[in-house]
Amino acid sequence: MSEFKEFALKGNMVDMAVGIIIGGAFGTIVKSLVSDVIMPPIGYLTGGLDFSSLSLSLGKGLDGKEVFIKYGSFINAVIAFLIVAFVLFLVIKAMNKAKEAMEEEKEEEAAAEPPKQEVLLEEIRDLLKSKAG
């Protein structure tokens, strides 16, 4: 039980939970972006074609109802996926750039300051010179 408590309360677990919740909300936003913002102008340019209503009829099923392959909904899903993938690419690219900048800054700080051992050795050298002279 204590192992589970340690696992569940780790920062990474909480971060992952927050990411999943935000990802779900982001999915809703992307779905609205595709269906309400992107697809209407495309439909307008294609003469009023609504992609979500595109389908292929396979005929009547055993229950007597028409069976459809709704490839228009699939097109909308592919567009939504491409938008999410592109946004994630931009976010990860920005995070990597910020991480590189932070690492460069740390390297510059480390290069500017001599190691403590060197400073100590220089102090000892200076003391020996003052005693000798």
Side-chain angles (χ1 to χ4, degrees):
M1 188 65 167
S2 63
E3 286 182 64
F4 175 74
K5 184 178 177 183
E6 182 181 336
F7 171 74
L9 296 178
K10 280 186 178 178
N12 293 344
M13 189 68 167
V14 174
D15 292 345
M16 187 174 73
V18 169
I20 290 170
I21 292 168
I22 290 175
F26 186 69
T28 304
I29 291 170
V30 169
K31 182 178 179 183
S32 175
L33 176 67
V34 170
S35 63
D36 301 331
V37 176
I38 294 175
M39 295 314 285
I42 292 174
Y44 177 77
L45 293 173
T46 59
L49 181 63
D50 179 16
F51 281 92
S52 63
S53 66
L54 294 176
S55 62
L56 177 66
S57 175
L58 298 177
K60 295 193 183 236
L62 297 176
D63 59 357
K65 293 182 181 177
E66 197 75 25
V67 178
F68 294 99
I69 296 176
K70 297 180 179 181
Y71 64 91
S73 295
F74 178 73
I75 292 171
N76 281 349
V78 168
I79 291 171
F81 169 78
L82 292 174
I83 291 170
V84 170
F86 182 69
V87 169
L88 287 176
F89 167 75
L90 293 177
V91 167
I92 291 171
K93 184 176 178 179
M95 287 176 57
N96 287 340
K97 189 178 258 189
K99 184 178 177 181
E100 288 175 10
M102 287 176 60
E103 288 175 0
E104 286 177 9
E105 186 177 303
K106 284 181 182 179
E107 289 174 4
E108 289 174 5
E109 286 177 9
E113 228 176 79
K116 290 181 181 180
Q117 291 175 340
E118 267 188 48
V119 172
L120 186 58
L121 289 171
E122 288 175 0
E123 289 175 3
I124 293 171
R125 181 198 64 200
D126 294 341
L127 283 172
L128 291 173
K129 277 186 182 179
S130 67
K131 285 185 179 183

